[in-house]
Amino acid sequence: MLARGPAPLDLAGAPPYRRAMTRPTPDSILIVDFGSQVTQLIARRVREAGVYCEIAPFTLAEEAFRRMAPGGIILSGSPAGVPEEGSPRAPQVLFDSGLPILGICYGQQVMTHQLGGTVEAGRDGEWDGEFGRAFLTVTRDCALFDGLWQVGDRHQVWMSHGDKVTRFAPGFEIVATSDGAPFAVIADEARRYYGTQFHPEVVHTPDGAKLLANFVHRVCGLAGDWTMAAYRETKVADIRAQVGSGRVICGLSGGVDSSVAAILIHEAVGDQLTCVFVDHGLLRMNEREQVERLFRDHYNIPLVVVDAEERFMAGLAGVTDPEAKRKFIGAEFVAVFEEEAVKLGGADFLAQGTLYPDVIESVSFTGGPSVTIKSHHNVGGLPERMNMKLVEPLRELFKDEVRALGRELGLPESMIRRHPFPGPGLAIRVPGEITREKLDILRKADAIYLEEIDQAGLYDQIWQAFAVLLPVKTVGVMGDYRTYDHVCALRAVTSTDGMTADFYPFEPAFLGRVATRIINQVRGINRVVYDYTSKPPGTIEWE
Ligand code: XMP
């Protein structure tokens, strides 16, 4: 159970769950999601062990199981409790399949319950559950521990449960125990069923990744040959099969996802692909030139660069509300893109760099509609209107896997390491009204900040760093003159997925150096401040 703590923010506008790989993948693992906040980490660990896996919500697990024909199954944790009425169950077909199953936390409990054991709810006073670090003792050998844990060992694990197993199902035995969970790990070696009360997928279980690797390699017997080289080959064949002799257009943002998608598609279908890069005038310093150089000169990929600065600036004149800015930019972007597609004589396919986290349908136990924090823009709606089909060659990959694929495709390191940049660009980093003058000031400050970060060797430790130009002027003194100029805020955060983030703890001397350079070299800024806000409660961007 991972119920304590805030519910995850739903990604506004995330596409509904659709099938990822369409053919059977017997070398894979099916992860059944019961709504735990860390289900994606199970997938990360399995893939790090070189095994392809997919996450399916429990409601769609049977369909995924039949389609994938996987080599093993993992049941995730959940904020729900097995004894609660209406709490989720695993489809019976999984237990009838004869495949190895690993149940984690709720997964262990639901497996116990469905196979004839007992799970009891935590009761205030007598048993409040076990949350955080715990130590377990290994009491018997089992395949899950092979080459890793021995009888008598004590190991740190991470627990998060209120309910617990009080009687295991026939065929099982206890193989490890902890103070709070006598059934910390249970195993039915004959059926190759394992259950852990703790979470092996989180970093606070130091041997957790190795335990999961043991499950997929030793218990399920899967080879671990899921590599980016193999993925590249499979995807190129898939894209050729899907696209045939059709025409594809791909919107480039200058970011790593759309770049990798475009280069992969180009490898598959060559000049049947045309890339479109919309310069909305809200880009960072030299961004457009970098994209042109990479795609046109280096890869020789047909590229249309649309100079749309005028119309974006005209439409944004006088707009100060963040959502109004985002809505306008999103709609205008789609309009520009559509016009270019028509000019190109239309296309049969639209390529998008959709990633796996956007595809996974998370199981929501919070009820009620999700709240839109910010509307993220993409070219939604366009494919249907223009009768185009989607090509999404990255939809099975996590962000760092996309980077690995980019390296495999020979993309320059400077592009692969790039921090994410939002679709609305600098517009959401100029609170208040946007003008060309403000954008120019911001671009200069941002470039200095990023250059200093790079020179200090900090770029790769930071998820995203950027400058924000505040609509506030303050008084300063430079030489013998009084100044009255803008405040520039610096933001840098660490994150793994952009959903939560922490401010980056720069040394004061570093921030001092950046502030001095910006104030000295950028006319229009006379004060620099640093943003010490995490997400939540803040967001990464300022608007
Ligand atoms: P927030 O500001 O919501 O941002 O904490 C989370 C991550 O998303 C990026 N972001 C966007 N990306 N279109 C995008 O493609 C958008 O409209 C957009 N808004 C925010 C942001 O830069 C951060 O990485």
Side-chain angles (χ1 to χ4, degrees):
M1 194 212 278
L2 264 176
R4 313 231 160 149
L9 296 177
D10 287 82
L11 273 176
Y17 174 87
R18 278 171 288 171
R19 300 193 313 191
M21 290 273 192
T22 47
R23 55 181 178 281
T25 39
D27 294 341
S28 68
I29 294 283
L30 167 63
I31 299 166
V32 180
D33 183 22
F34 293 109
S36 158
Q37 288 182 39
V38 287
T39 302
Q40 285 199 24
L41 290 180
I42 306 174
R44 299 308 336 268
R45 302 284 104 86
V46 170
R47 290 188 181 192
E48 281 160 16
V51 173
Y52 180 71
C53 62
E54 287 185 26
I55 298 171
F58 67 94
T59 46
L60 298 172
E62 181 161 350
E63 183 204 321
F65 169 79
R66 294 191 192 285
R67 170 175 51 80
M68 289 171 68
I73 293 154
I74 298 179
L75 308 176
S76 87
S78 175
V82 168
E84 285 165 26
E85 216 180 296
S87 60
R89 299 287 175 260
Q92 185 56 36
V93 67
L94 305 184
F95 298 112
D96 297 340
S97 69
L99 289 172
I101 300 179
L102 170 65
I104 295 173
C105 195
Y106 183 89
Q108 180 207 48
Q109 296 167 3
V110 83
M111 177 160 74
T112 297
H113 174 81
Q114 290 185 248
L115 296 174
T118 309
V119 178
E120 288 184 24
R123 270 173 305 218
D124 282 345
E126 269 179 60
W127 164 255
D128 282 333
E130 206 177 8
F131 298 92
R133 194 157 58 146
F135 285 89
L136 55 70
T137 306
V138 177
T139 53
R140 291 182 92 106
D141 287 324
C142 77
L144 201 62
F145 303 158
D146 252 8
L148 193 64
W149 287 0
Q150 278 156 15
V151 174
D153 284 357
R154 259 170 82 75
H155 292 283
Q156 183 189 316
V157 295
W158 198 71
M159 297 274 191
S160 183
H161 64 117
D163 304 343
K164 62 177 174 178
V165 172
T166 51
R167 185 171 58 87
F168 47 75
F172 280 86
E173 56 187 8
I174 296 169
V175 291
T177 179
S178 76
D179 291 347
F183 303 89
V185 187
I186 53 173
D188 177 342
E189 295 255 75
R191 288 189 284 183
R192 297 181 296 168
Y193 289 169
Y194 300 86
T196 67
Q197 182 54 74
F198 63 90
H199 286 266
E201 68 275 33
V202 303
V203 290
H204 315 289
T205 299
D207 280 340
K210 291 183 192 149
L211 284 171
L212 286 165
N214 260 4
F215 177 70
V216 300
H217 296 316
R218 300 195 187 210
V219 177
C220 302
L222 305 182
D225 52 6
W226 157 257
T227 61
M228 277 307 134
Y231 186 82
R232 172 185 185 173
E233 230 171 80
T234 318
K235 272 294 134 184
V236 164
D238 282 356
I239 296 165
R240 284 193 187 129
Q242 187 193 358
V243 169
S245 58
R247 287 191 53 77
V248 189
I249 49 171
C250 177
L252 283 184
S253 67
V256 66
D257 304 341
S258 60
S259 300
V260 170
I263 291 164
L264 190 65
I265 293 169
H266 189 251
E267 179 164 300
V269 299
D271 289 355
Q272 287 165 248
L273 168 74
T274 303
C275 291
V276 176
F277 180 70
V278 177
D279 180 354
H280 47 24
L282 304 163
L283 300 169
R284 286 167 295 183
M285 187 86 91
N286 301 329
E287 197 151 23
R288 171 176 171 166
E289 292 74 17
Q290 283 164 9
V291 170
E292 283 182 312
R293 219 177 307 130
L294 182 67
F295 283 85
R296 216 174 256 155
D297 304 343
H298 183 76
Y299 280 101
N300 209 10
I301 297 177
L303 171 68
V304 177
V305 176
V306 190
D307 198 342
E309 186 181 359
E310 287 292 333
R311 59 195 276 185
F312 274 89
M313 292 312 293
L316 285 169
V319 182
T320 55
D321 176 66
E323 272 304 284
K325 282 183 190 173
R326 283 173 170 274
K327 291 249 158 63
F328 166 76
I329 294 170
E332 194 69 0
F333 191 90
V334 172
V336 172
F337 202 84
E338 187 169 6
E339 285 166 29
E340 290 307 313
V342 170
K343 279 191 214 156
L344 288 168
D348 310 289
F349 297 91
L350 176 73
Q352 284 194 335
T354 315
L355 303 193
Y356 196 45
D358 305 327
V359 177
I360 304 168
E361 184 184 56
S362 49
V363 182
S364 168
F365 284 91
T366 49
S370 64
V371 181
T372 301
I373 307 289
K374 295 176 185 182
S375 46
H376 284 211
H377 95 263
N378 55 29
V379 283
L382 186 59
E384 295 85 51
R385 239 191 3 256
M386 294 199 61
N387 205 15
M388 287 191 284
K389 294 184 204 73
L390 285 176
V391 188
E392 297 177 308
L394 311 181
R395 54 180 297 117
E396 291 107 7
L397 302 185
F398 289 102
K399 187 88 180 179
D400 56 335
E401 292 174 324
V402 172
R403 293 200 164 112
L405 180 60
R407 287 196 181 96
E408 180 65 36
L409 290 163
L411 205 68
E413 201 56 29
S414 56
M415 175 65 92
I416 288 170
R417 310 156 55 215
R418 252 179 153 190
H419 291 170
F421 186 61
L426 299 182
I428 54 175
R429 296 178 181 174
V430 178
E433 188 176 4
I434 299 161
T435 63
R436 276 201 178 82
E437 189 206 352
K438 285 187 188 169
L439 289 169
D440 282 339
I441 295 173
L442 177 59
R443 262 190 277 270
K444 287 181 195 147
D446 189 67
I448 291 172
Y449 182 35
L450 289 179
E451 189 182 297
E452 287 289 339
I453 287 176
D454 209 19
Q455 275 174 11
L458 300 175
Y459 191 86
D460 293 335
Q461 295 172 33
I462 293 169
W463 165 267
Q464 228 171 335
F466 53 87
V468 179
L469 190 74
L470 303 192
V472 176
K473 286 189 166 189
T474 66
V475 173
V477 53
M478 288 178 90
D480 292 331
Y481 295 97
R482 172 190 188 271
T483 58
Y484 186 57
D485 280 328
H486 286 283
V487 180
C488 169
L490 303 178
R491 179 101 168 112
V493 294
T494 54
S495 176
T496 48
D497 52 12
M499 299 290 282
T500 57
D502 221 341
F503 64 83
Y504 187 81
F506 285 118
E507 295 292 330
F510 172 84
L511 288 173
R513 195 160 64 238
V514 176
T516 305
R517 257 196 83 188
I518 291 177
I519 293 165
N520 284 349
Q521 296 175 13
V522 183
R523 182 163 292 185
I525 294 174
N526 68 351
R527 194 176 294 268
V528 173
V529 297
Y530 187 62
D531 179 357
Y532 279 96
T533 317
S534 304
K535 171 183 178 173
T539 53
I540 295 175
E541 303 291 345
W542 275 44
E543 288 195 332

